[in-house]
Amino acid sequence: MDKIISFYGRFSDDIKANRKTITIRNSAEAQYEAGDIVDAITHPEGLPITRLQILSITPASLDDLTIEHAKQENMPLEVLVPLIQEIYPGESQFYVIEFKQV
């Protein structure tokens, strides 16, 4: 079975235009390995976005996130950190998953 990774639909255009090249996930959603080819779909609709290759997976806390991470997410850092806190309330350990379209 092919691996999938889901994104909120609002990120579809940024992913397809290579403006979003990372995603920040908790341990339950970081079950990928560098080199994996995955189908990116929208959440919760399940609509196809594109195919991605996982380039790297790096552990990070919220304090580790930088302006560079925010650029790779295509949003300001002051938007990124609260968004991660909203998606994963009370969690502090995350994984930065870098990807590219294939």
Side-chain angles (χ1 to χ4, degrees), residues 27-42:
S27 61
E29 295 185 50
Q31 71 282 8
Y32 306 100
E33 295 179 18
D36 283 352
I37 304 295
V38 299
D39 291 315
I41 63 170
T42 60

Side-chain angles (χ1 to χ4, degrees), residues 1-53:
M1 181 175 179
D2 289 342
K3 288 189 177 184
I4 62 167
I5 189 167
S6 63
F7 295 90
Y8 292 117
R10 66 180 183 255
F11 298 124
S12 294
D13 290 343
D14 284 348
I15 293 166
K16 289 190 263 188
N18 301 310
R19 291 186 298 258
K20 178 176 171 63
T21 59
I22 67 169
T23 185
I24 299 167
R25 304 293 174 107
N26 68 1
S27 61
E29 295 185 50
Q31 71 282 8
Y32 306 100
E33 295 179 18
D36 283 352
I37 304 295
V38 299
D39 291 315
I41 63 170
T42 60
H43 173 79
E45 305 85 3
L47 301 172
I49 300 171
T50 189
R51 287 179 61 82
L52 302 173
Q53 180 179 18

Side-chain angles (χ1 to χ4, degrees), residues 10-11 14 19-20 22 24 62 65-85:
R10 66 180 183 255
F11 298 124
D14 284 348
R19 291 186 298 258
K20 178 176 171 63
I22 67 169
I24 299 167
L62 288 176
L65 299 181
T66 65
I67 291 171
E68 184 60 30
H69 290 115
K71 287 179 183 176
Q72 291 173 291
E73 283 274 12
N74 196 37
M75 66 181 70
L77 187 58
E78 59 270 14
V79 173
L80 175 60
V81 171
L83 178 63
I84 297 300
Q85 291 172 317

